[in-house]
Each structure stands twice: as structure tokens, then as C-alpha cells.
Amino acid sequence: MMEVAVFGAGRIGKIHAGNVVRQPGVKLRYVIDVDAAAAQALAAQHGAQVATAEAALADKAVGAVVIGSSTDTHADLIQRSAAAGKAIFCEKPVDLSVERARTCAEAVERAGVTCMIGFQRRFDPTFAALKERLAAGEIGDPEMLVVTSRDPGAPPVEYLKRSGGIFRDMLIHDFDIFRWILDDDAATVYATGSVLTDPAVGTVGDVDCTAVTIRTRRGRLAQINTTRRAAYGYDQRFEVLGSKGMLQAGNHRPTEVTAATGTHVSQDLPEHFFLERYRAAYAIELAHFFDAIAHGKPVRTTIGDGVKALELADAATTSWREKRIVEL
Amino acid sequence: MMEVAVFGAGRIGKIHAGNVVRQPGVKLRYVIDVDAAAAQALAAQHGAQVATAEAALADKAVGAVVIGSSTDTHADLIQRSAAAGKAIFCEKPVDLSVERARTCAEAVERAGVTCMIGFQRRFDPTFAALKERLAAGEIGDPEMLVVTSRDPGAPPVEYLKRSGGIFRDMLIHDFDIFRWILDDDAATVYATGSVLTDPAVGTVGDVDCTAVTIRTRRGRLAQINTTRRAAYGYDQRFEVLGSKGMLQAGNHRPTEVTAATGTHVSQDLPEHFFLERYRAAYAIELAHFFDAIAHGKPVRTTIGDGVKALELADAATTSWREKRIVEL
Amino acid sequence: MMEVAVFGAGRIGKIHAGNVVRQPGVKLRYVIDVDAAAAQALAAQHGAQVATAEAALADKAVGAVVIGSSTDTHADLIQRSAAAGKAIFCEKPVDLSVERARTCAEAVERAGVTCMIGFQRRFDPTFAALKERLAAGEIGDPEMLVVTSRDPGAPPVEYLKRSGGIFRDMLIHDFDIFRWILDDDAATVYATGSVLTDPAVGTVGDVDCTAVTIRTRRGRLAQINTTRRAAYGYDQRFEVLGSKGMLQAGNHRPTEVTAATGTHVSQDLPEHFFLERYRAAYAIELAHFFDAIAHGKPVRTTIGDGVKALELADAATTSWREKRIVEL
Amino acid sequence: MMEVAVFGAGRIGKIHAGNVVRQPGVKLRYVIDVDAAAAQALAAQHGAQVATAEAALADKAVGAVVIGSSTDTHADLIQRSAAAGKAIFCEKPVDLSVERARTCAEAVERAGVTCMIGFQRRFDPTFAALKERLAAGEIGDPEMLVVTSRDPGAPPVEYLKRSGGIFRDMLIHDFDIFRWILDDDAATVYATGSVLTDPAVGTVGDVDCTAVTIRTRRGRLAQINTTRRAAYGYDQRFEVLGSKGMLQAGNHRPTEVTAATGTHVSQDLPEHFFLERYRAAYAIELAHFFDAIAHGKPVRTTIGDGVKALELADAATTSWREKRIVEL
């Protein structure tokens, strides 16, 4: 039985804790959070204990940690967990600083521990099936990628201030999708953005809509469009054009009801937001993590992937700020 | 903490056991099956014990039973469980004999226990949403119902022999959908059927394709078409025409991938069979059962519903065999 | 250059006249209608002349007639046209009386002229493609057919009085689709119906919703559901289940715009009614008619098909009225 | 009766000639083409005469010209037709040189004649309906536009050599769509491209895949992705994100047949290429042209629009060649 410590008892911590307890051979032992009440509630729900980070990391029975606390704690917890010899699952991003993320990656490598970054989209049933079919050659060689990634609404401006900006906070997932799907490296990045949904976003030096173009070393082309506010909900689509066809990943709907009335034929809006849309993905990624540990297999989304996505986010941020094409 | 005994450790018993252990405040205590190895394996998986029916029903700590054993055991177990004062969840059908089913219903009523029949389709997210929107008046008064209900392949002939025939074995779900959606009583039933997929089906006095028409007391019209073998998989659709529009329940797909190649644009086949298609429904119906018990609320699918669906199955069987319109 | 006389300057006559003038090698010579002003207007639009039936049929230069006048004139005009040696295109139905229709068919045969009945649905691009793929074996042997055929609104009660009833007036198209798609003969017909949309329909001895089941000699099953009033428009779908899969014919939409707003994702309603939905079919059927004449080839929808569809309409009417299964 | 001269008896000339003869009050008088046989065949088909450009333009009875000859003849014919006082319909582009196009526009203005450029996509039923709904405020203010514009296959390299490059030859339509839909001016253009489908394209200094981003003066963002070769056919989609929702224009299919087999559920590929996809649009744009002339109304796609689209094509070409963001 592997014992696990979960850092973070907020929205995502709860998801991960719920998935930890569903793994066979895995036991949720500790919950750690600066908010003592939240930690207590989550621990009680799953028969776990509240602990400090020190205590949890010092407990030899703890084989793995799941880090779902705030972004500014990730790097530190990764390094301490690696030093303590724990297998690590950490939410994206590794850190807002690429340099710090690289340092973490080195620490992980030195420690020789498993470290998986939570790019849960790669585990989404639709996205994973698309990737598998692409890899099987169903549409030949990939040539172009179009990613549509839109949130239903912006987080509070207070959050945005500390978010690292839209490219690091939101598009980091899309940059990872780009790398995973095209399996190619970026040669140049061009990014532009606007404040179109809420002027407050501009007051903290950020944008709420972006258009990014990545050209790969092999000449493949990728375009990403994002917004913080799609009135119809969480829009998570991408399509790959290949030499023999196209694969598209569409949105998921809560139900398959179609209504025809006097004015139109309609279907449900997409799943509301990431907790709904990626519910299955969150479960599958944690199962993958524990399965990899149990069988000594590599994880699908490494800390190296986390660093690479950050590098793209940095390049995009520079391109937007300096109004120029950035070479990588 | 309510303790529960699960009868049946086969395919459906495993599903129910898995859902029992996910209910808060509920503990799976006993597994009962004539196949000792199957019972042992399922009990071990969930930390429960193997028991005899007698022992399980005699245990005062057991508050509820979940009956997922073979059809010919349902009536007896319902009656004994009712006599023992247990809350009962039983898979459809109550029994192949309407008379016996009525006797069971009376026993349940006398005992004053909760008895829910597993018409899981009513708990499917798509079907339940449709029903809710219909009840809210979105398409006015319902006028016509078209049900398409097709299995991906026929069970073994050995099974068919003891199944009570396609109308009792397969259409019983569709008859329940009819009653639930139109909220009206059948005035006449016309049923016809054919052996089109496998001559062996005919050798046991059954058919593999049916076409049923029900006319309700208020003059509404329902048509049901079924087959034991749809080459493209499990097809579970229905549509309701109302005075102000139409609501359609479509199939669920495993993924939302669309592929465009040199010959066509394609999507996934429907979810393979009932275990996949109704995975969510099975979980929701058990949660509903335990929630109803906990709060003293009525269950949505009563043993009375089980009797009514059987009456329609009997009428359809008679209509098919005697080639006549049957009045109810 | 073949000269043509068009009977009927109403809604359907105008459609046919417009298609006649688009045929290469064909000239619209005469328009005949009891409404002199309508005849004059249509003739003027296409550079044709108004004439009486006598004059038009007596003109040796007229090689073909297109009959789009009211139903009660069809049989008489077919017989006179056949006697005059003209090739005949006539709107459905041949007549409301099967006997009269058979007499017409005999007259046509004796005269040895081409006579095509306007079952335009067989020429609809979607329906024709489905039939072609079915015939090519894409889904193996057909086993079941489900036809959904719904009008957007009922015609005036005055029209219904003289219409022959819903089975002859509206379902005649569906009976033809049944024969064409399954390529099999009806063994039994069961029909029921209700007055659900407008009580006035009942006052003239008709119904506005029907449910029909046809069992073929080879045991195939067909179900047809119709209504005079679908709030969302003209609904013209059918699906064929075969031993290797299913083919579905869906509705056509005016545009391919999809809108996603705060409440739902929506698309256009189906094409409004038959003039829009079958615009292409009307053009293609007339081209087929003149092509068949020009090359001495048989037409796809013969007067024999018209008689057969009427026989089914009669059987359905009897089944509904007498509440019994009718054998053919 | 307005008499018309059609320049060009090739693929597009035939389409336009066929639409000219369908206009009420319009007569096709002359066909002009350097290929005498082609001119003769087209003229004969429609009862017109072959003529030289001089003769046709000198004929006072000719009120309008339709220019569908090769691109290098457009500017000259526009100028001569304007000088002769004819109303002008000319295929895009006005010319490959923006300066020359501007000169033409000035000549048209001086002459005071109607001059419409064939941006037929604005007349496509789907695109036009989307624009109308956008203008009606259905999704609030437009914020982002994503255009997918893919040909089924590249033209011969010989054609590409004289085409002006992919941005002028193919994307000119997309630039016009951008201007029309967002109703805003470009502030910056970034374009990149690759040779991915056929190395021969590179040998003539062109690319076959492009990714373009336009930022408008109001900060709106548009992304265009194109390829010369989509294995699944002609892909013509765009979507507009607005403050209150999204409108998407999807592909048109030849039929609405859906097939479900043992492997997938499939629908038709999109309409094969522009002649099929925009058949209705070509007819509607010519009707619009003659209607505008008849009623002295402005045309929807002016020579000014032609110049503006060319300016964007030039900017994109520069951006791609010089690897820099171009300001307008």
C-alpha cells in the first residue's frame, strides 16, 4: 500500500484527493494546506490526517506527493519532495520562471524520482484518441494545427496580477498540446493580444484575447486563439490537418438532447468549465501516475514538458510585449 | 452506516457492488451468489463477506438489499427481503409472470418497505434531461413517441430460451420509457416481429426484430422498433413530438473525435453496449435509491412500474403471437 | 424540339413549367387552367400560349403533357392524353380511387405511351444517394425501415374534405418510399391515427397524426409516423437498418450556420416545406422524364407505382377505420 | 432588355454566361475569348454571337459586361469597358498590381459606371446569413475571427507561376471575408507559409500552406489558415467570436446521408470545389449585379473592395518574404 500526501485542499486539490482514494493499492495519508479548515475538511472526508509539509515529507511511509497548492509553492515543494525521495505529481506550471523550473527539473533528475506535471488534457479521452489515431498514421504527416481554447469567464483581477500573464497562465496548456500533437520543436513564435472583454484586465498589464502562431523547425504551422470569456462556455477544440486528412477534437456536451422548436434546432452548450470537461482526464492522469510508479514506467508528461511549455509561454509573452517575431 | 447485501456477483452485480461502495454512509456487507468463486472474488474486492441468503436476510444490521441475480430468483428474493423488512433494489424484470410480479408488489406493500426496480434508463443524464425539459413544457403537450432500441448482438440461444421472449427481455425497458415519457396509459398494443438476424432465434420460438405501436387513452401514438443485432452497435434513441416542437435523445459516443479523409467525414460509433452506455445511469440510480431510503422519499421506479411494464410486454407478446390488436 | 403542354397554373404547375423551360430541346407551348388569369400569367412568363385541353391535346406538335392540375382531373387527363399519344408526366395521386387508377394504367399500357407519376422524393439528392448506396450493398440486406414524415401545418379543412384522407393525401409519398427502399411487397398493414392538432380535422372524418406498420412478405418491418403539424417545420427523414449497418436520410437546412450563445448551440430549422425541400428533386424528375422520352428509356416512377401506393393507402385507411390488421 | 457581353468562355465564364441568361430582362449578346472554339461553343449554347472585344464594347446596345477571362486581362478590360460606359462585373482580382488596380478604380469612378468585383463568397447563403445575424447583434460585438480556407488540390505549377503567389491568388477571398465580417481595418499583418504538399510549389517561389494573423485598429484579432491540398476536399469555414456568443459557417455537403457501419458513423465530404460549393453564390451575385443596375443601387462588392483585398495580399506577401510584421 503506497501512502500519499496531497498538498492543497482547494478546488483542484479536492479533485486529486478524490482520485487518489480510488486508486487500488494507494492510501491518502496526509492533506496539507495553509487553510487549516480546508485541510481538515478534506482529510476528514477521506479518512486522512492533516499534517505540515515537513511532517509529511519526513514520513518514510509516504511514497508519493500530489501538489495542487498555489503556483508559487510548486517549485519549492517539488525540490523538497525530490530531496525526500518522493514520487511527485505536480499541477502545471512548474513555476512562473523558466530558470526556476529548470532548476527544479535538475533537482528531480539528480534525485532520480518520478515527476509528472499535470497536463491533464493529454489524458482526455477525446484528445488521447485523436493523438493515438494521428500516431497510427490515419491522416498521414501532420501539417497544420489550429487550437481554439476559450474560458467561459475571466478570473478575478487579483488572481490575474499574480498569474504570470495569460500566456503562462492559460496558454501553457495549449503550448503543451502543440508540442504533443505536432511532436516538433518551435522555430519561431508570433503572439498578439488585446483587451476586449474587460478593461480591468489591461490595468494589470495583461490581455484577455490572444492569437499565436508557431512555426516549427520542419515548417509546420500552428495557430492558437484564446479568450478569457466565451459567452457560450468552455470551448476546447483543436484540429490537425495531415497529408491524408484531418482529425478534429470537439467539445463534450453534458447530454445528447436535441430540441427542435419554432425557431431553431439546438443542443447543449459544452461542458461548463475545466472541472466538468476534464473530470475523466483528471482521473486518468492520476491512475497513469500511480501505474507508472508501480511498474517503474516513465510518465507521459514530464517536468521537461513543463519546462518546454514555459519556454513557449515566455517567447509568446516577449513577442506580444515587444511586437516582434521571436526565434527559439 | 447502512449495511447492504448484494445478490449476484455477475456482470450487473459487479456494477451495483461498485456503486454501493461509493455511497456515503453505506457499507457493502455481504455478497451472495450460487457461484462461490464469483461471490468470493467480488466480496474480497470490496472488503465484504460471502454469505447465504438466509444469513444475510437474518442480519438485522443489513438495511437494504440489491438484487442482481438471475431473473428466476427475483420474485423469491423480493418476497423474502420484504418479509425481512429490508429496503429492496431489484433489477428488472420483477418476474416473467405478471401474476407473480403482482404478488410481489402486494408483499412489498404489506411489508411497507421501499422497493425500487432497476429501470436505469430513467437515470441516464440524456434521458433524464429530456424528461425534465418535457415536463417543463418546452415542447408543449407530447403527441408522438418514436423509440429506437437496438442491441449490438444477440445473447446465446440458451439465454433466449429462458428469457421470456424479446418483449419481456428486451422491450421491457422501452415499455417503461413509453410510460415514463408519455405519462399516459396504453389503450391498445399492436406488435409484430421477425427472425431476420439468426434462424436459431426462431427455433426457440422467439423473434429478433420487432415493431410495436401503442395507442394511449388520450390518443397519443408511440412506435418502438428493436433488433437484437445492429452492426454499428448499441442504438438507444427516442424522440418525442409535442405540440410546440420535438425533443430527441441521441446516442452517446466514447469520444468527440471527427475524422475527415478522402472518402468521408466520420465520428465514433455509439457507446458499445449497456454497461458503457448506462454507466452513469447505474451509478445515479443507486445513489437515488440510498438517498430515498435515507430521507424517506419515494423512489422514482417502483415495483408498480415493474408490473406495468410487464403487462405491456405480455400484451405485445399476445399481439405478436395471435396477430391481433390487443386492448388493455 | 419537343413541345409541351402544362395542365395547372397553380403552385406546383408553376414549378413544373419553370423546369420544363430549362430542359434542352423542350419548349413550353401551352398552359391550361380553369383559372384563366393564372394560365395567362404563367404562359406569359415563359412565352407560351393559353389553350383548352382539347386544343392542346389535338396539337400534333405537342409530344408531352405535364399534369399539375387538381387531383380530380388527373385520371381524365391521363386517359385523354394517352389516347392522344402524348407522353405523360402526372402529379401524384393518379386518382383517389384505386379502381380508377387501375383503369388509367390500363389505358396507358394500351396506348403504349410513357407515363411517369410525380413521386419526386425518389429524385431528391439525399434520398437517391441513400438508395444507390443501399443497392450497392453498403449495409447488406435491408431489415427495418423507419419513416418520419411531418408537415409544418395542416391545409384548410376545405382541402381536407376532398383530399381522400391523410393516408391517400399525405402518406402516399411514404408508401412509395417504402416500396422503393425495401423493394418488397406488403403482406400486412396496420394503421392507427388520432386528431391531436386541430379538432376541425376530426369533423371531416380525418386524422392528423398516424402510426403505420407494414410487414413485408419477406418479414421486413417498416414503421411510418406522420403528423400534419410539426412546430419546427417540414420533417422528412427515414432510416434503413440493414444486416451490416444503417443508412439515414436527414433533413436539409437552408444554411450551415451554427450559433452558440449563453443558452444553447443551434442550427437552422429544416427547409420550410416541400417546395423548398424538394426544389432540386422537382427539377431532376422532369429532366429524367424528358431524358427517358428522348432516349426511349423507362421512367423510374411509373403509373404502376402510383397504383401500388394507392393500394397501400387504401389498406391503411381500412385498417384505421376498422381497427384491424389488413392483409394484402 | 439589357444586352450583355461575356469575356471568357472558360470554366468561370460558362458559369457566368449560364447565370446571365437566367436573369429576367437580360440577354446574352456576345461571347469573347481568345480561344475561338470555346467562344463559339458557349455562344451557340445560349443563342449569342462571338465577337471581338472592340466590337462588343462598341455596340451601344450592350449595357453591361461580365469579365471572366484570365487575370492579366482584367485591368485592361475594366478600363476599356468603363470608357465605353458599360456596367462592369469582373472576377477577382482586379489585377495583381495594387497600383494598377487603383488606376482601374479611378477610371471606374471617373466614368461613373457600376463596377462589381466577384467576391462571390459574400453571396453564399450560409455566409450571407451569418453576416446578417452578426449585423443584427445576435452575438454582440465581434472580437475574433478564425478562417479555414483549404483547396482540395493545387493547380498546375505553370498556373502558380503567373498567379501572383498564394496570398494574391487564394487568400484574396479570405482577406475580403475578413474585411466584410469584422467591418474594421487592418492595423498589422503577420504571415508565414511553408511548402508542405509539393516541393514543385517552392521552385516557383511560392508556398502551399499559410498562417496569417491580422490585428485590426480596434484590436480585434483574425487568424487565417490555408492549404492548397486538403485530402478531404474543399474546406470553407469561418467562425466569429463575439461578446455574446459565436457564429460558425460550416461546410455544405452534397447530401444529408449518414451511414453507420461496423467501424464508424459517417457523412459526406464537403462539396468538392468552388464550382459546386459556390454554385448558388455565383447565381445570386449576378442577380444582385443586374438588380443593382436596374434599380440604380450600389453593388455590395465594389472595385474599392478589390483594391483593399489586394493591399492585404501585398502586406501578407511582404510579411512572409521579409519575415516581419507589416503595419498598414
Side-chain angles (χ1 to χ4, degrees):
Chain A
M1 185 67 66
M2 165 168 289
E3 300 197 353
V4 175
V6 167
F7 291 86
R11 197 164 53 170
I12 197 71
K14 285 177 190 162
I15 298 284
H16 289 319
N19 286 323
V20 164
V21 301
R22 279 195 198 92
Q23 307 307 319
V26 172
K27 181 176 161 54
L28 177 57
R29 181 68 191 277
Y30 299 115
V31 174
I32 302 97
D33 199 296
V34 291
D35 178 341
Q40 185 53 47
L42 185 58
Q45 184 184 345
H46 295 299
Q49 290 172 245
V50 171
T52 60
E54 289 69 28
L57 292 175
D59 186 340
K60 300 275 193 233
V62 169
V65 300
V66 172
I67 305 172
S69 46
S70 64
T71 294
D72 55 7
T73 66
H74 290 184
D76 183 56
L77 287 172
I78 288 174
Q79 289 177 304
R80 288 165 67 188
S81 301
K86 314 298 187 194
I88 303 161
F89 176 93
C90 183
E91 268 302 302
K92 65 88 207 168
V94 178
D95 194 84
L96 294 178
S97 149
V98 173
E99 287 68 33
R100 184 76 201 272
R102 286 196 192 109
T103 307
C104 280
E106 288 158 13
V108 162
E109 197 175 358
R110 270 197 311 274
V113 296
T114 292
C115 181
M116 176 169 168
I117 300 301
F119 287 125
Q120 87 285 357
R121 295 186 192 181
R122 294 201 194 187
F123 299 90
D124 174 74
T126 289
F127 292 1
L130 187 154
K131 169 68 178 177
E132 200 173 304
R133 292 167 67 171
L134 178 64
E138 187 170 329
I139 60 162
D141 289 325
E143 294 169 354
M144 303 187 80
L145 172 68
V146 177
V147 178
T148 298
S149 181
R150 299 170 183 167
D151 282 1
V157 166
E158 272 312 301
Y159 172 89
L160 292 181
K161 265 188 205 168
R162 293 169 291 113
S163 71
I166 193 169
F167 297 104
R168 288 188 192 92
D169 183 56
M170 187 173 158
L171 280 89
I172 193 152
H173 280 296
D174 307 302
F175 292 131
D176 184 62
I177 289 286
F178 153 77
R179 293 188 59 247
W180 176 53
I181 291 295
L182 289 191
D183 203 13
D184 197 355
D185 287 310
T188 62
V189 172
Y190 166 75
T192 185
S194 280
V195 178
L196 292 174
T197 74
D198 183 358
V201 174
T203 64
V204 297
D206 206 350
V207 289
D208 52 25
C209 296
T210 77
V212 175
T213 302
I214 305 175
R215 203 188 145 79
T216 73
R217 301 214 172 147
R218 288 190 247 179
R220 293 164 179 171
L221 308 176
Q223 287 187 311
I224 302 168
N225 74 82
T226 72
T227 180
R228 287 285 192 184
R229 193 244 354 244
Y232 55 92
Y234 194 46
D235 193 351
Q236 299 279 292
R237 291 172 286 148
F238 65 83
E239 62 183 51
V240 198
L241 175 72
S243 52
K244 295 181 182 166
M246 173 172 60
L247 288 168
Q248 295 173 296
N251 286 316
H252 291 194
R253 288 185 288 262
T255 81
E256 292 297 329
V257 174
T258 298
T261 62
T263 52
H264 50 244
V265 176
S266 65
Q267 295 193 295
D268 284 2
L269 293 181
E271 292 277 11
H272 176 61
F273 205 1
F274 66 97
L275 294 182
E276 292 84 10
R277 173 64 172 86
Y278 293 117
R279 187 186 308 274
Y282 286 121
I284 297 168
E285 71 172 358
L286 265 201
H288 170 80
F289 173 65
F290 287 108
D291 182 66
I293 299 172
H295 298 92
K297 292 188 297 188
V299 291
R300 203 186 297 171
T301 50
T302 66
I303 191 165
D305 292 318
V307 171
K308 291 279 192 185
L310 264 177
E311 288 171 355
L312 284 168
D314 268 21
T317 306
T318 301
S319 174
W320 160 60
R321 284 225 179 99
E322 304 183 4
K323 301 187 179 180
R324 63 178 179 90
I325 302 160
V326 172
E327 299 196 16
L328 282 108
Chain B
M1 185 66 68
M2 164 169 287
E3 300 196 355
V4 175
V6 167
F7 291 87
R11 198 165 52 170
I12 198 70
K14 284 178 192 163
I15 298 284
H16 289 319
N19 286 323
V20 164
V21 300
R22 279 195 199 91
Q23 307 307 319
V26 172
K27 182 177 160 53
L28 176 58
R29 182 67 190 278
Y30 298 116
V31 174
I32 302 98
D33 199 297
V34 291
D35 178 342
Q40 184 55 47
L42 185 58
Q45 184 184 344
H46 294 299
Q49 290 173 244
V50 172
T52 61
E54 291 69 27
L57 292 175
D59 187 339
K60 300 275 191 230
V62 169
V65 300
V66 172
I67 304 172
S69 44
S70 65
T71 294
D72 55 6
T73 66
H74 291 184
D76 183 56
L77 288 173
I78 289 174
Q79 287 176 303
R80 290 164 67 189
S81 301
K86 314 299 188 196
I88 302 161
F89 175 93
C90 183
E91 268 302 303
K92 66 88 205 167
V94 178
D95 194 84
L96 293 179
S97 150
V98 174
E99 288 68 33
R100 184 77 200 273
R102 286 197 193 109
T103 308
C104 280
E106 289 159 14
V108 162
E109 198 175 357
R110 269 197 311 275
V113 297
T114 292
C115 182
M116 176 170 168
I117 300 301
F119 287 125
Q120 88 284 357
R121 295 188 193 179
R122 295 202 195 187
F123 298 90
D124 174 73
T126 289
F127 292 1
L130 186 155
K131 170 67 177 176
E132 200 173 304
R133 293 167 67 171
L134 177 65
E138 187 169 328
I139 59 162
D141 289 325
E143 294 169 353
M144 303 187 80
L145 171 69
V146 176
V147 178
T148 298
S149 182
R150 299 170 181 166
D151 281 1
V157 167
E158 273 311 301
Y159 172 90
L160 293 181
K161 265 187 204 168
R162 292 167 294 112
S163 71
I166 193 169
F167 298 104
R168 288 189 193 91
D169 182 57
M170 188 172 158
L171 280 90
I172 193 151
H173 280 296
D174 307 302
F175 292 131
D176 184 63
I177 289 286
F178 153 77
R179 294 187 59 246
W180 177 53
I181 291 296
L182 289 190
D183 203 12
D184 197 355
D185 287 310
T188 62
V189 172
Y190 165 75
T192 184
S194 280
V195 178
L196 292 174
T197 73
D198 183 358
V201 174
T203 64
V204 296
D206 206 351
V207 289
D208 50 26
C209 296
T210 77
V212 175
T213 301
I214 305 175
R215 205 188 143 79
T216 74
R217 302 216 170 144
R218 288 190 246 180
R220 293 164 181 172
L221 308 177
Q223 287 187 312
I224 302 168
N225 75 82
T226 73
T227 180
R228 286 282 191 186
R229 190 234 10 232
Y232 55 92
Y234 194 47
D235 193 351
Q236 299 280 291
R237 290 173 287 147
F238 64 83
E239 62 182 52
V240 197
L241 175 72
S243 53
K244 295 181 184 166
M246 173 172 60
L247 287 167
Q248 295 173 295
N251 285 316
H252 290 192
R253 288 185 287 263
T255 82
E256 292 298 330
V257 174
T258 299
T261 62
T263 52
H264 50 244
V265 176
S266 65
Q267 295 192 295
D268 284 2
L269 293 180
E271 291 277 11
H272 176 61
F273 205 1
F274 66 97
L275 294 181
E276 293 83 10
R277 173 64 172 87
Y278 293 117
R279 187 186 308 276
Y282 285 122
I284 297 168
E285 72 172 358
L286 265 201
H288 171 79
F289 173 64
F290 287 108
D291 183 66
I293 299 171
H295 297 90
K297 293 187 297 188
V299 291
R300 202 186 296 171
T301 50
T302 66
I303 191 165
D305 292 317
V307 171
K308 289 280 193 185
L310 263 177
E311 288 171 354
L312 283 168
D314 269 20
T317 305
T318 302
S319 174
W320 159 61
R321 286 227 179 98
E322 305 183 3
K323 299 187 181 182
R324 63 180 180 87
I325 302 161
V326 172
E327 297 196 18
L328 284 109
Chain C
M1 185 66 67
M2 164 167 290
E3 299 196 355
V4 175
V6 167
F7 291 86
R11 198 165 50 170
I12 197 71
K14 284 177 191 163
I15 297 284
H16 289 319
N19 286 323
V20 165
V21 301
R22 278 194 198 93
Q23 307 307 319
V26 172
K27 182 177 160 51
L28 176 57
R29 182 66 191 277
Y30 299 115
V31 174
I32 302 98
D33 199 296
V34 290
D35 178 341
Q40 185 54 49
L42 184 57
Q45 184 185 343
H46 294 299
Q49 289 173 244
V50 171
T52 60
E54 291 69 28
L57 292 175
D59 187 339
K60 301 274 193 235
V62 169
V65 300
V66 172
I67 305 173
S69 46
S70 64
T71 294
D72 56 6
T73 66
H74 291 183
D76 182 57
L77 287 171
I78 288 173
Q79 289 177 303
R80 290 165 66 189
S81 301
K86 314 299 188 197
I88 302 161
F89 175 94
C90 183
E91 268 303 303
K92 66 86 207 169
V94 178
D95 195 81
L96 293 179
S97 150
V98 173
E99 289 67 34
R100 184 78 200 271
R102 287 198 191 108
T103 309
C104 280
E106 289 158 13
V108 162
E109 198 175 357
R110 270 197 311 276
V113 296
T114 292
C115 181
M116 176 169 167
I117 300 301
F119 287 125
Q120 87 285 355
R121 295 186 193 180
R122 295 201 195 187
F123 299 91
D124 174 73
T126 289
F127 293 1
L130 187 154
K131 169 68 177 176
E132 200 172 304
R133 292 167 67 171
L134 178 64
E138 186 169 330
I139 59 162
D141 289 325
E143 294 169 353
M144 303 188 79
L145 172 68
V146 177
V147 178
T148 298
S149 181
R150 299 170 182 167
D151 281 1
V157 167
E158 273 312 300
Y159 171 89
L160 292 181
K161 266 188 205 168
R162 292 169 292 112
S163 70
I166 193 169
F167 298 103
R168 288 189 193 90
D169 183 56
M170 188 173 158
L171 280 89
I172 192 151
H173 281 296
D174 307 302
F175 293 130
D176 184 61
I177 289 286
F178 154 77
R179 292 188 60 246
W180 176 53
I181 291 296
L182 289 191
D183 203 12
D184 197 355
D185 287 310
T188 63
V189 172
Y190 165 75
T192 184
S194 281
V195 178
L196 292 174
T197 74
D198 183 358
V201 174
T203 65
V204 297
D206 205 352
V207 288
D208 50 25
C209 297
T210 77
V212 176
T213 302
I214 305 175
R215 204 187 143 80
T216 73
R217 301 214 172 148
R218 287 190 247 180
R220 292 164 181 171
L221 307 177
Q223 287 188 311
I224 302 169
N225 74 83
T226 73
T227 180
R228 287 285 191 185
R229 191 244 354 243
Y232 54 92
Y234 194 46
D235 192 352
Q236 298 279 292
R237 291 172 287 148
F238 64 83
E239 62 183 50
V240 197
L241 175 71
S243 52
K244 295 181 183 165
M246 173 172 61
L247 288 167
Q248 295 173 296
N251 285 316
H252 290 192
R253 289 185 287 262
T255 81
E256 292 298 331
V257 174
T258 299
T261 63
T263 51
H264 51 243
V265 177
S266 66
Q267 295 193 295
D268 285 2
L269 293 181
E271 292 277 11
H272 177 60
F273 207 1
F274 67 97
L275 294 181
E276 292 83 10
R277 173 64 174 87
Y278 294 118
R279 186 186 308 275
Y282 286 121
I284 296 168
E285 71 171 0
L286 265 201
H288 171 80
F289 173 64
F290 287 108
D291 182 67
I293 299 172
H295 298 91
K297 293 188 297 190
V299 291
R300 202 185 298 171
T301 51
T302 66
I303 192 166
D305 292 317
V307 171
K308 290 280 192 185
L310 264 178
E311 288 171 355
L312 284 168
D314 268 22
T317 305
T318 301
S319 174
W320 160 60
R321 284 225 180 99
E322 305 183 4
K323 300 187 181 180
R324 62 179 179 90
I325 302 160
V326 173
E327 297 195 18
L328 283 109
Chain D
M1 187 65 68
M2 165 169 287
E3 300 195 356
V4 175
V6 167
F7 291 87
R11 197 164 53 169
I12 197 70
K14 285 177 189 163
I15 298 284
H16 289 320
N19 285 324
V20 164
V21 300
R22 278 193 199 94
Q23 308 306 319
V26 172
K27 182 177 159 52
L28 176 57
R29 182 67 190 278
Y30 299 116
V31 173
I32 303 98
D33 199 296
V34 289
D35 177 342
Q40 185 54 47
L42 185 58
Q45 182 185 345
H46 294 299
Q49 290 171 245
V50 171
T52 61
E54 291 70 29
L57 292 174
D59 186 339
K60 299 276 192 232
V62 169
V65 299
V66 171
I67 305 173
S69 45
S70 64
T71 293
D72 57 6
T73 66
H74 291 183
D76 182 57
L77 288 172
I78 288 174
Q79 287 177 304
R80 289 164 67 188
S81 301
K86 314 300 188 194
I88 302 161
F89 175 94
C90 183
E91 268 302 303
K92 65 88 206 168
V94 178
D95 194 83
L96 293 179
S97 150
V98 173
E99 288 68 35
R100 184 77 200 272
R102 287 196 191 109
T103 307
C104 280
E106 288 159 13
V108 163
E109 197 175 359
R110 270 197 312 275
V113 296
T114 291
C115 181
M116 177 170 167
I117 300 301
F119 286 124
Q120 88 284 356
R121 295 187 192 180
R122 294 200 194 188
F123 298 90
D124 174 73
T126 289
F127 292 1
L130 186 154
K131 169 68 177 177
E132 201 173 301
R133 293 168 68 171
L134 178 65
E138 188 170 328
I139 58 162
D141 289 325
E143 294 169 353
M144 302 186 81
L145 171 69
V146 176
V147 178
T148 298
S149 182
R150 299 170 183 168
D151 282 0
V157 167
E158 272 312 300
Y159 172 90
L160 292 181
K161 266 188 204 169
R162 291 168 294 111
S163 70
I166 192 168
F167 298 103
R168 289 189 192 90
D169 183 56
M170 187 173 159
L171 280 89
I172 193 152
H173 280 296
D174 307 302
F175 292 131
D176 185 61
I177 289 286
F178 153 77
R179 292 187 60 245
W180 177 53
I181 291 296
L182 289 190
D183 203 12
D184 197 355
D185 287 310
T188 62
V189 172
Y190 165 76
T192 184
S194 280
V195 178
L196 292 174
T197 74
D198 182 357
V201 174
T203 64
V204 297
D206 206 351
V207 289
D208 51 25
C209 296
T210 77
V212 176
T213 302
I214 305 175
R215 205 188 143 80
T216 74
R217 301 215 172 147
R218 288 190 246 178
R220 293 163 180 173
L221 307 176
Q223 287 188 312
I224 303 168
N225 74 82
T226 72
T227 180
R228 287 285 191 184
R229 189 229 18 227
Y232 55 92
Y234 193 46
D235 192 352
Q236 299 280 291
R237 291 172 286 148
F238 64 83
E239 63 183 50
V240 198
L241 175 72
S243 53
K244 295 180 183 166
M246 172 171 61
L247 288 168
Q248 295 172 296
N251 286 316
H252 290 194
R253 289 185 287 262
T255 82
E256 292 298 329
V257 174
T258 298
T261 62
T263 52
H264 50 244
V265 176
S266 66
Q267 295 194 294
D268 285 2
L269 292 180
E271 293 277 12
H272 177 62
F273 205 2
F274 67 97
L275 294 181
E276 293 83 11
R277 172 65 174 86
Y278 292 117
R279 187 186 309 274
Y282 285 122
I284 297 168
E285 71 171 1
L286 265 201
H288 171 80
F289 172 65
F290 287 108
D291 183 67
I293 298 173
H295 298 92
K297 293 188 297 189
V299 290
R300 202 186 296 172
T301 51
T302 66
I303 191 166
D305 292 317
V307 171
K308 290 280 193 185
L310 263 177
E311 288 171 354
L312 283 168
D314 270 21
T317 306
T318 301
S319 175
W320 159 60
R321 283 225 180 100
E322 305 184 2
K323 301 186 179 180
R324 63 180 180 88
I325 303 160
V326 173
E327 298 197 17
L328 283 109

